[in-house]
Amino acid sequence: MIEKELRNLLSGIKEGKVSIDDAVDMLEDLPFQDIGFAKIDHHRELRCGQGEVIFCEGKTPEQVASIAKVILSKDDTLLGTRASLEHYDAVKTEFPDAHYDKEARCIVLQKNSVELKGNVLVITAGTSDIPVAAEAKVTAETLGAKVQLINDVGVAGLHRLLRYGEEIRKANVIVVAAGMEGALASVVGGLSARPVIGVPTSVGYGAGLKGFAPLLTMLNSCAAGVAVVNIDNGFGAGYMAAMINSLALEDNSK
Amino acid sequence: MIEKELRNLLSGIKEGKVSIDDAVDMLEDLPFQDIGFAKIDHHRELRCGQGEVIFCEGKTPEQVASIAKVILSKDDTLLGTRASLEHYDAVKTEFPDAHYDKEARCIVLQKNSVELKGNVLVITAGTSDIPVAAEAKVTAETLGAKVQLINDVGVAGLHRLLRYGEEIRKANVIVVAAGMEGALASVVGGLSARPVIGVPTSVGYGAGLKGFAPLLTMLNSCAAGVAVVNIDNGFGAGYMAAMINSLALEDNSK
Amino acid sequence: MIEKELRNLLSGIKEGKVSIDDAVDMLEDLPFQDIGFAKIDHHRELRCGQGEVIFCEGKTPEQVASIAKVILSKDDTLLGTRASLEHYDAVKTEFPDAHYDKEARCIVLQKNSVELKGNVLVITAGTSDIPVAAEAKVTAETLGAKVQLINDVGVAGLHRLLRYGEEIRKANVIVVAAGMEGALASVVGGLSARPVIGVPTSVGYGAGLKGFAPLLTMLNSCAAGVAVVNIDNGFGAGYMAAMINSLALEDNSK
Amino acid sequence: MIEKELRNLLSGIKEGKVSIDDAVDMLEDLPFQDIGFAKIDHHRELRCGQGEVIFCEGKTPEQVASIAKVILSKDDTLLGTRASLEHYDAVKTEFPDAHYDKEARCIVLQKNSVELKGNVLVITAGTSDIPVAAEAKVTAETLGAKVQLINDVGVAGLHRLLRYGEEIRKANVIVVAAGMEGALASVVGGLSARPVIGVPTSVGYGAGLKGFAPLLTMLNSCAAGVAVVNIDNGFGAGYMAAMINSLALEDNSK
Amino acid sequence: MIEKELRNLLSGIKEGKVSIDDAVDMLEDLPFQDIGFAKIDHHRELRCGQGEVIFCEGKTPEQVASIAKVILSKDDTLLGTRASLEHYDAVKTEFPDAHYDKEARCIVLQKNSVELKGNVLVITAGTSDIPVAAEAKVTAETLGAKVQLINDVGVAGLHRLLRYGEEIRKANVIVVAAGMEGALASVVGGLSARPVIGVPTSVGYGAGLKGFAPLLTMLNSCAAGVAVVNIDNGFGAGYMAAMINSLALEDNSK
Amino acid sequence: MIEKELRNLLSGIKEGKVSIDDAVDMLEDLPFQDIGFAKIDHHRELRCGQGEVIFCEGKTPEQVASIAKVILSKDDTLLGTRASLEHYDAVKTEFPDAHYDKEARCIVLQKNSVELKGNVLVITAGTSDIPVAAEAKVTAETLGAKVQLINDVGVAGLHRLLRYGEEIRKANVIVVAAGMEGALASVVGGLSARPVIGVPTSVGYGAGLKGFAPLLTMLNSCAAGVAVVNIDNGFGAGYMAAMINSLALEDNSK
Amino acid sequence: MIEKELRNLLSGIKEGKVSIDDAVDMLEDLPFQDIGFAKIDHHRELRCGQGEVIFCEGKTPEQVASIAKVILSKDDTLLGTRASLEHYDAVKTEFPDAHYDKEARCIVLQKNSVELKGNVLVITAGTSDIPVAAEAKVTAETLGAKVQLINDVGVAGLHRLLRYGEEIRKANVIVVAAGMEGALASVVGGLSARPVIGVPTSVGYGAGLKGFAPLLTMLNSCAAGVAVVNIDNGFGAGYMAAMINSLALEDNSK
Amino acid sequence: MIEKELRNLLSGIKEGKVSIDDAVDMLEDLPFQDIGFAKIDHHRELRCGQGEVIFCEGKTPEQVASIAKVILSKDDTLLGTRASLEHYDAVKTEFPDAHYDKEARCIVLQKNSVELKGNVLVITAGTSDIPVAAEAKVTAETLGAKVQLINDVGVAGLHRLLRYGEEIRKANVIVVAAGMEGALASVVGGLSARPVIGVPTSVGYGAGLKGFAPLLTMLNSCAAGVAVVNIDNGFGAGYMAAMINSLALEDNSK
């Protein structure tokens, strides 16, 4: 397609329909528009870059609101993560339809209702991991994925987890949010034939090293099929899960 | 299905076809067979557990050969990673059809030829990262994925990478193997709308901390859609990529 | 016993007293109840999982109070660790008999008075280690252990410690809470023929690394018979000590 | 007892049977013999100090042999850990009855046969953890404990572990040796009402940090009742387990 | 020059114009004045030592104001970094011409207007890195460099960066301020033939380790021509860049 | 220039001299040739990317020799760092004029003699730092810089360093190679008004952490004007110094 | 002496002046009184243990005041470190003569005036290190040492330090307090033939790692004669310096 | 003195005895000779800089021998640390009187016999710490100190240490060499009123972190009067101890 556009442009020059000056201008941006085109070609609702999602922490409510305006001028969907109520209030003034998920600390606005599809499972080891899991859930849903959340099934009480064997086996992809020792990712990895995205949380104290202990645990998982994102990065886990879920929904078999 | 089997068993008891002693024996294993069943249900050639793949490092050639025998008595595929020539020689004596991939340091034997499907892209930053990438490639291929390998496109010469824009956009999933500063994963993540599996390598020295520097780099990727496996864990990256590639090939849209 | 129950169920099916539908329901939970049963079989007042103890830090007073209600609906004992006065006030409103140990920062309620048995010794290196030691003491007592607390006998003044040689020799198990350099655990380990549980505390500054220095000290103890729990984990040390004290009280010699 | 001896000595002075010079000599050693006495009072075969066990690594075969001679001149039992075949050969020349456990890398000699008692369970996550587990087993047996070893039941294949539920519930104390992510300790801790001694192993690579990752995992165990010893410290784990097993066998209930 | 002064002094003694007492006094300071002279010889407005720049953080407004007075009694330029509004207010009372750059958190006063020369480029990966970049810009400008600032061109959207290829190629020296994974320094290093000064920022969370992750990334840059300053050290980066820019402006070719 | 070439191409199309197919092929490479052109525009002997320099460590002699052939087919200069004698022998077979600097462990070949210009000073703290300094020197010389090396002037004997005050003040840029505590970089930074490139070395032991201690020292330099490269990265320091030296030689003042 | 007392006691028994019961009581404390006696034997004003000095941080004003009462009931000197004004107020209420050194954050009370002797030099690298240096000074003075404090002579401006060559050479012992890169300790160590006590401070940011960078610097000092205490431990440095100064004042040459 | 020399020089100029050219040459070195003078003024046998002691590790035997020649051409004493037998052989060829201490791995030659004075005590925790302790002992003796070595008195068997209470109390300064958990330094610090120099050793494994654990332990010593040198730095500890011992022998009381 990019080639077709390029040939059209060059034919325009040959035929005298396009001036050389205009062509130079258009060609200068070519490689970058090329990158953009490819992404639009996948009919994605959100662009793949993180730039389109607002990481609100450390920004003022005013900054968040003005970035939101820019995004919504071209996109149908707004996602603001690590947002406080103050951030939400500023956005809401401009966009009264914006919604705030308190647990996930996310601001969401979707101009058109989207049918959620597929099967993303988000699991937490303990109740303190829920905010991170909620952020993953909201992120994946904003990207069109159907998400189920199962809380508080850490390995200290294995029977709680095993009760959800069917959910684990049926999911397209599983996000495991766990702090303390983070063992849940390995255990779920051993129970599932689908990709597991581990998101270590900073839940714990002392030798938990603010999430570094579960991070190392997940990276060293003795079960294959586990990959890891940054500590407390519910957004990243949800994003990755939604990408994988999308692949599962596409028909790429041809 | 498991429920159907259970009902059959219970009907057998009711009807006197199954003794209570036999039923007790069968039920004791039930939850575990259940776990096993689900996995067989996916018609996978390899079981999802790492137990079926031999991590040869630190095992004697004899140990590897005897584990290989056990695996091949029930499976059609053998994969031995981090294998030396000595390991291979021991396996070859028993299984002359076994193949050794020197670069990947892998022993592979597939009794039946398998058609490789889908589109997994493996990219390395430098030539020293190739062994890790090769392990990822062999692993994913053993699990049925079609894999393309692009070497030496690190960010120090960005033009080398940008030449492969189309390959990057078309892949179902991308494995990025990079040592030193590991920046390639973020850059590829920013160019692709598909999942990127970062595998940091121990290539580098000094502040590279034997791979810890690129590991941290990848975990902190400013591009979303990047998840990470352990340092030098080509097997884990290839396994994860093959899982995701499989999802892309399935028709889960119903 | 679990086998006996299973045989009863199967006999019930055989004899037509239990429907297959009911049996399927009951069997689905079997492996998990099995795990639970075994624990009840030890006549323990508290279940072995941490789920039954409330780690209050990071929970709202309301959350703590509602979890307390669930626990006390089936158990006779409530233990809430790292509890603030606000947490206590919320619990007290529901359960006026609940007690608050300010030093240990624990909420305790025991419906029936329990005779404390055995001999757990808790030793601190300095006065700043007392809160951690107090948490260990309250935890062990809640689990039925008789506990003696000796404070401020750090190795800078060895004569203070040596004065308690008899207490050290007579204890079933010793908890040593120490910050700064944490040397006390090794020294006590060398004086005692019984297990020593080291609990490093975050007392100290600079190269104390918030408790990592005494943690490493205790892990490298030149005296055998010392095992270690997480930094500031008085609960974990007290729990472990109570478990060992229980074993000492049982008659397992047959 | 020590008081009785002291009174005898003082009476001897009063009655003129003991000279003041002799009394001074005897009293100067008093506090140390006192410490020694208390330990002998427990009728232990080995003294509680690590001095009686030879850590062979870094010692010459001759040094090990000569330390062995000193130990066996007063004790009935010799234990040498981290011993090479060369160490063993040197000891065997002097003591032909000495036995070498190749897997545990231990030299053992027990002059009198000892009936092993109690129930110590040693579990490994993978086959590479066996040397550490074997050292724990030999150590505990040398101290009189009956030990059962279950290998290769890591959390990647949970069904392998769950098959041993009964062994886990019946043990007095459990040693869990695990490398990589070390999750097994938490999982076993959640299944057992008895103390679990975690011994992280250096098995793994990259982010395993030579055993630091499983060490952190075990320290952060979400299951209570888990305490930890140094990386690869099979001796320490076995020693601690034997101490706890001894307590379980004693009748301390009075 | 210093030699010339020395010869003048010695001639003065020989000729009796200078007393030996006076000469001793002058010679005692010689080596230090020597150091000072050399620096003045470069006609620099600011002395090379950091002592002349006020690091305001941790100082009271009064302390900053009084140090400012001392500096401005001999120099024409004042630079205060990490300054709060309170610091500024105190300085402004004394020196009403002092200017406060809120984004850079810098107080600046230049008695004589200085023509900015050369070409220093400051690039940020994201908007959160701007304060550090602004500090670099203000510092370099205070030292006489002409500075261009390009914001928010991180590697997640490579096309944003590539648009500035010409600016990158034309700069004498480039400062790259980046947090999170810090990959921008390597990428810019690969695009430029001029020195790149990487300044990692503490922007990020979790495995970002408060800036340590981008610090390691930059130190391990696979592109040559990248050197690094401390985390968040915009001052240091700007100072270094100004030094290099000065060299580019001098005519040292003879 | 790139624009000029583009206009030529487009005119060629307009005039029918260039076919659209050929134009498409040429335009596809445009952005990358653009990047390349800019670098050639600086008339540099070596390309700015690290790809042109061979990091020999971990490559076989044959690999190094064949990469050398590719480089020398288009460039006049070859630089191979961290080269062994075996690497050199393989290169020498193909290129008898290649030179081996044993101390620097570098292979160098320059087809045309180059006049070294400018003034780069390389200083070492101790004799053990010389190999790293020698690598910096050879690298900078290969890039055309005149280099002076001063050895063994560490801060333990400050008088040794102060003797070289004039050399320090006259250099365009100074490389400081120091292990152990690495204090020399700060001290030299305080003595000089020119950029200092610190290269920490892995010389030292224990708390030197294989070069991490001097790395941290240099990053925290209290003297401004110090930037740092990776541990033992003599190549990187020499490359950076040569870049800065080149700037000093250019006449950029217009 | 202790032997003499023992002989007196035993003679008392022999002669019937001391009952065996009383002797047993006295002998039980013997080894500890022995330790105590030895210390009194050195006629020291303060006991050598840290117990006699109050580390106020983390204690309530009431706690500090009551510990002060106990200490002053037997000692002539009170030293409270890391004390706030609140702590001081509480102590002052009881002991109106107590003095508060705001910079050092120390409470001091000496009942009898003490002549300060010897020559302890305390040097700081920057003004931010002064609080730590002041704590060292107050501590050493409380222990009887004459102390001189030289501030702000860090290595960035070496001439400031060299001006104090004579003070450095004349001191019995030198305390160097430095943050950031901590190079001052090595430099002073190279200038002095007397012991240098390095006290790294937490002054700095980023890669300063809250004082860990200067700590490592000082431990790796290339100059011999430097030993180090904990980060910010002005008390420890002053205590050590006073001990060494005392030795210099004693006449131990016989 | 330096002033006197300076006045002589200036008078020489005035009187025409010294030419201005000669005076300039002499004055240029003045400040450095000044530093040198001061040290000679203490009539020390060895200069205070580490340059006079040969750290042999990493040097060839030939290099060591030639440095030895330079040193012995002006000094009466040679000390080579971390020396192998090969180093010794090379030195012995030139200086047949050179002595090799195998345990300390030191080469020593003293042209004139020196009477050892004072009282330095060196204590080790275990037999594996002896090499480090021996290096400390040889170093201190070479510097003129009388040294007593007490081995294997680690805190696991406290009675072994307490037996040496008198030696501990009588020493001028104590060096404590300890690996594993390094607790011995704190314990000795608590028993002594004299300075303790802790030298952590790399003895241990796993969480011992190659000596970092005992290093942290000693830095966090709860007993005051403990300062620390680098891991395994027996030379540094012995040097510091000899410096302190010298002070104790001098009569500085006037």
Side-chain angles (χ1 to χ4, degrees), chain F residues 134-151:
Chain F
E135 191 187 69
K137 182 169 182 284
V138 167
T139 299
E141 286 174 348
T142 305
L143 292 157
K146 188 182 281 180
V147 182
Q148 181 181 4
L149 180 60
I150 301 175
N151 281 321

Side-chain angles (χ1 to χ4, degrees), chain C residues 24 44 59 100 125 151 158 173 175 225 231 240 245 247 252-253:
Chain C
V24 166
R44 296 198 289 132
K59 297 199 174 68
Y100 185 62
N151 280 321
L158 214 53
V173 52
V175 171
I231 298 162
M240 189 80 178
N245 185 58
L247 273 171
N252 298 292
S253 57

Side-chain angles (χ1 to χ4, degrees), chain B residues 105-185:
Chain B
R105 296 176 58 210
C106 286
I107 301 167
V108 181
L109 190 157
Q110 285 182 300
K111 292 186 187 165
N112 309 309
S113 82
V114 178
E115 191 199 355
L116 302 182
K117 288 182 184 167
N119 187 342
V120 171
L121 183 62
V122 178
I123 301 180
T124 67
T127 51
S128 308
D129 303 315
I130 294 180
V132 174
E135 191 187 70
K137 184 170 181 283
V138 167
T139 300
E141 285 175 348
T142 305
L143 292 158
K146 187 182 280 180
V147 182
Q148 182 182 4
L149 179 60
I150 301 175
N151 280 321
D152 200 19
V153 290
V155 302
L158 214 53
H159 56 294
R160 297 176 302 182
L161 176 68
L162 295 178
R163 206 175 294 260
Y164 294 99
E166 194 167 340
E167 284 81 354
I168 289 170
R169 284 188 301 274
K170 283 192 177 157
N172 285 331
V173 54
I174 305 170
V175 171
V176 175
M180 302 195 71
E181 95 285 60
L184 187 59

Side-chain angles (χ1 to χ4, degrees), chain A residues 2 34-35 37-39 42 44 47-50 117-118 162 169-173 189-197 212 215-216 219-231 233 235-236 239-240 243-245 247-254, chain B residues 2 34-35 37-39 42 44 47-50 117-118 162 169-173 189-197 212 215-216 219-231 233 235-236 239-240 243-245 247-254:
Chain A
I2 163 78
D34 176 12
I35 291 163
F37 265 116
K39 287 167 183 168
H42 287 290
R44 295 198 289 130
R47 279 210 47 238
C48 82
Q50 207 178 18
K117 287 182 185 167
L162 294 178
R169 285 188 299 274
K170 284 193 177 157
N172 284 331
V173 54
L191 294 174
S192 168
R194 295 295 171 79
V196 172
I197 309 301
F212 228 82
L215 171 61
L216 293 177
L219 285 168
N220 287 287
S221 170
C222 61
V226 178
V228 188
V229 297
N230 195 0
I231 298 162
N233 189 4
F235 164 71
Y239 194 100
M240 188 81 180
M243 272 184 163
I244 295 173
N245 186 57
L247 274 172
L249 295 173
E250 292 174 27
D251 190 0
N252 297 293
S253 57
K254 289 146 298 189
Chain B
I2 163 79
D34 176 11
I35 291 164
F37 262 116
K39 288 166 182 169
H42 288 290
R44 295 197 292 129
R47 279 208 49 235
C48 83
Q50 210 180 15
K117 288 182 184 167
L162 295 178
R169 284 188 301 274
K170 283 192 177 157
N172 285 331
V173 54
L191 295 174
S192 168
R194 294 296 170 79
V196 172
I197 309 301
F212 227 83
L215 171 62
L216 293 176
L219 286 168
N220 287 286
S221 170
C222 60
V226 179
V228 188
V229 297
N230 195 0
I231 297 161
N233 188 5
F235 164 71
Y239 193 101
M240 189 81 178
M243 272 182 162
I244 295 173
N245 185 58
L247 274 171
L249 296 173
E250 292 173 29
D251 190 1
N252 298 292
S253 57
K254 290 144 297 186

Side-chain angles (χ1 to χ4, degrees), chain C residues 4-253:
Chain C
K4 210 178 101 191
E5 290 191 4
L6 183 57
R7 286 181 183 278
N8 284 347
L9 177 66
L10 297 181
S11 300
I13 294 167
K14 193 169 187 178
E15 295 160 17
K17 292 184 196 159
V18 179
S19 77
I20 286 180
D21 277 1
D22 286 358
V24 166
D25 281 358
M26 291 163 79
L27 284 168
E28 270 181 351
D29 278 344
L30 189 63
F32 319 125
Q33 292 180 345
D34 176 10
I35 291 163
F37 265 115
K39 286 166 182 167
I40 291 166
D41 189 44
H42 288 290
H43 310 292
R44 296 198 289 132
E45 296 302 318
L46 279 174
R47 277 210 49 237
C48 82
Q50 206 178 19
E52 312 285 328
V53 175
I54 316 175
F55 185 85
C56 300
E57 206 167 84
K59 297 199 174 68
T60 64
E62 294 70 36
Q63 286 175 320
V64 169
S66 67
I67 298 172
K69 263 198 240 176
V70 174
I71 290 175
L72 287 170
S73 69
K74 44 182 177 136
D75 282 326
D76 283 356
T77 303
L78 176 78
L79 174 61
T81 63
R82 308 246 173 146
S84 65
L85 260 175
E86 289 69 31
H87 289 128
Y88 173 56
D89 287 341
V91 171
K92 201 181 167 184
T93 307
E94 301 282 345
F95 303 98
D97 292 346
H99 166 76
Y100 185 62
D101 184 314
K102 199 176 167 186
E103 201 156 53
R105 297 177 54 212
C106 286
I107 302 167
V108 181
L109 190 156
Q110 285 182 299
K111 293 185 186 164
N112 309 309
S113 83
V114 178
E115 189 201 354
L116 301 182
K117 289 182 183 165
N119 188 343
V120 171
L121 182 63
V122 178
I123 302 180
T124 68
T127 52
S128 307
D129 304 314
I130 294 180
V132 174
E135 191 187 71
K137 182 170 183 283
V138 167
T139 301
E141 286 172 348
T142 306
L143 292 157
K146 186 182 283 181
V147 182
Q148 182 181 4
L149 181 59
I150 301 174
N151 280 321
D152 200 19
V153 288
V155 301
L158 214 53
H159 57 294
R160 297 177 302 183
L161 175 67
L162 295 179
R163 205 174 294 260
Y164 295 99
E166 192 166 343
E167 284 81 355
I168 289 171
R169 284 188 301 273
K170 283 193 178 157
N172 284 331
V173 52
I174 305 169
V175 171
V176 175
M180 302 196 71
E181 95 284 64
L184 187 59
S186 299
V187 171
V188 171
L191 294 175
S192 167
R194 295 294 171 82
V196 172
I197 309 300
V199 51
T201 73
S202 55
V203 170
Y205 58 90
L209 296 175
K210 303 188 178 174
F212 228 81
L215 172 62
L216 292 176
T217 302
M218 292 179 183
L219 285 168
N220 287 287
S221 169
C222 61
V226 178
V228 188
V229 297
N230 195 1
I231 298 162
D232 288 336
N233 190 5
F235 163 72
Y239 193 100
M240 189 80 178
M243 272 183 162
I244 294 172
N245 185 58
S246 288
L247 273 171
L249 295 173
E250 291 173 29
D251 190 0
N252 298 292
S253 57

Side-chain angles (χ1 to χ4, degrees), chain F residues 34-228:
Chain F
D34 176 13
I35 290 164
F37 263 116
K39 288 167 182 167
I40 289 166
D41 190 44
H42 287 290
H43 311 292
R44 296 197 290 130
E45 297 300 319
L46 280 176
R47 278 208 50 237
C48 83
Q50 208 179 18
E52 311 287 326
V53 175
I54 315 175
F55 185 84
C56 301
E57 206 167 84
K59 296 200 176 67
T60 64
E62 294 70 36
Q63 286 176 320
V64 169
S66 66
I67 299 173
K69 265 198 242 179
V70 174
I71 290 176
L72 287 170
S73 69
K74 44 180 178 142
D75 282 326
D76 283 356
T77 302
L78 175 79
L79 175 59
T81 62
R82 308 245 172 149
S84 65
L85 261 175
E86 288 70 30
H87 289 127
Y88 173 54
D89 287 341
V91 171
K92 200 181 167 184
T93 307
E94 301 282 346
F95 304 98
D97 292 346
H99 166 76
Y100 184 62
D101 185 315
K102 199 177 167 185
E103 202 156 52
R105 295 176 58 210
C106 286
I107 301 168
V108 181
L109 190 157
Q110 284 181 301
K111 292 186 189 164
N112 309 309
S113 83
V114 178
E115 191 200 353
L116 301 183
K117 289 182 183 166
N119 188 341
V120 171
L121 182 62
V122 178
I123 302 180
T124 68
T127 53
S128 308
D129 303 314
I130 294 180
V132 174
E135 191 187 69
K137 182 169 182 284
V138 167
T139 299
E141 286 174 348
T142 305
L143 292 157
K146 188 182 281 180
V147 182
Q148 181 181 4
L149 180 60
I150 301 175
N151 281 321
D152 200 20
V153 290
V155 303
L158 214 52
H159 57 294
R160 297 177 302 182
L161 176 67
L162 295 178
R163 205 174 294 260
Y164 295 98
E166 193 166 340
E167 284 82 353
I168 289 171
R169 284 189 300 275
K170 284 192 178 158
N172 285 330
V173 54
I174 305 170
V175 170
V176 175
M180 301 196 72
E181 94 286 62
L184 187 59
S186 299
V187 170
V188 171
L191 294 174
S192 168
R194 295 294 170 80
V196 173
I197 308 301
V199 50
T201 73
S202 54
V203 171
Y205 57 91
L209 296 175
K210 304 187 177 175
F212 229 82
L215 171 62
L216 293 176
T217 302
M218 293 180 182
L219 286 168
N220 287 287
S221 170
C222 61
V226 179
V228 188

Side-chain angles (χ1 to χ4, degrees), chain A residues 31-192:
Chain A
F32 319 124
Q33 292 178 346
D34 176 12
I35 291 163
F37 265 116
K39 287 167 183 168
I40 290 167
D41 190 44
H42 287 290
H43 311 293
R44 295 198 289 130
E45 297 302 319
L46 278 174
R47 279 210 47 238
C48 82
Q50 207 178 18
E52 311 286 328
V53 175
I54 316 174
F55 185 85
C56 301
E57 208 167 84
K59 297 200 175 68
T60 64
E62 294 70 35
Q63 287 175 318
V64 169
S66 67
I67 298 173
K69 263 200 242 177
V70 174
I71 290 176
L72 287 169
S73 68
K74 45 181 177 138
D75 283 325
D76 283 356
T77 302
L78 175 78
L79 174 60
T81 63
R82 308 248 173 143
S84 65
L85 260 175
E86 287 69 31
H87 290 127
Y88 173 55
D89 287 342
V91 172
K92 201 180 166 185
T93 308
E94 301 283 345
F95 303 98
D97 292 346
H99 166 76
Y100 185 62
D101 185 314
K102 198 177 166 185
E103 202 156 51
R105 298 177 53 213
C106 287
I107 303 167
V108 181
L109 189 156
Q110 285 181 299
K111 292 185 186 164
N112 309 309
S113 84
V114 178
E115 189 201 354
L116 301 183
K117 287 182 185 167
N119 188 341
V120 171
L121 183 62
V122 178
I123 302 180
T124 68
T127 52
S128 307
D129 304 315
I130 294 180
V132 174
E135 191 187 69
K137 182 169 182 284
V138 167
T139 300
E141 285 173 349
T142 306
L143 291 157
K146 186 182 283 180
V147 182
Q148 182 181 3
L149 180 59
I150 301 175
N151 281 321
D152 200 19
V153 290
V155 301
L158 214 53
H159 57 293
R160 297 177 302 183
L161 175 67
L162 294 178
R163 204 175 295 258
Y164 294 99
E166 193 165 342
E167 284 81 355
I168 289 171
R169 285 188 299 274
K170 284 193 177 157
N172 284 331
V173 54
I174 306 170
V175 171
V176 175
M180 302 194 72
E181 94 284 63
L184 187 58
S186 299
V187 170
V188 171
L191 294 174
S192 168

